[in-house]
């Protein structure tokens, strides 16, 4: 198995957060570094997805593929009534 090149990153974190990392590492029987790599990878994945969804939404706006706010609000308000409006398109 090939060794992946690594780089040391240093960050100051609040003591309560560091203690939670240590507790999680002990509970999972993993190193603190492993916990930090997992957390960082998950956060980066989340931010990349958020960025992708934002770009997708902006492309919809640029393409005029949007629903009027008032139509959405009227639909949402109607959900609590006996005759809800159809989903706006």
């Amino acid at each position: 198995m090939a060794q992946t090149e690594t780089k040391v990153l240093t960050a100051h974190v609040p003591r309560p957060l560091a203690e939670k990392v240590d507790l999680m590492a002990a509970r999972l029987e993993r190193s603190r570094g492993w916990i930090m790599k997992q957390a960082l990878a998950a956060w980066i994945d989340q931010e990349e997805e958020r960025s992708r969804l934002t770009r997708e939404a902006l492309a919809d706006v640029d393409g005029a593929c949007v629903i009027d706010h008032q139509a959405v609000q009227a639909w949402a308000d109607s959900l609590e009534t006996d005759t809800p409006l159809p989903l706006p398109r």
Side-chain angles (χ1 to χ4, degrees):
M1 177 181 221
Q3 184 75 13
T4 301
E5 186 177 343
T6 64
K7 180 178 180 176
V8 174
L9 301 176
T10 303
H12 291 267
V13 297
R15 186 172 301 275
L17 181 58
E19 290 169 356
K20 286 182 180 183
V21 169
D22 289 340
L23 287 172
M24 185 68 66
R27 185 172 68 87
L28 296 175
E29 298 180 353
R30 296 289 192 156
S31 70
R32 181 188 296 154
W34 186 88
I35 299 293
M36 297 301 296
K37 283 186 269 185
Q38 296 299 309
L40 186 56
W43 180 78
I44 287 173
D45 288 348
Q46 177 184 329
E47 290 304 310
E48 287 175 341
E49 178 67 1
R50 184 186 327 262
S51 177
R52 184 191 68 75
L53 290 171
T54 299
R55 288 189 311 274
E56 186 178 292
L58 289 172
D60 284 346
V61 170
D62 288 345
C65 183
V66 295
I67 299 171
D68 180 71
H69 174 75
Q70 287 80 13
V72 172
Q73 187 65 54
W75 169 77
D77 291 343
S78 79
L79 294 177
E80 296 179 358
T81 70
D82 292 334
T83 55
L85 296 171
L87 186 65
R89 301 223 177 253

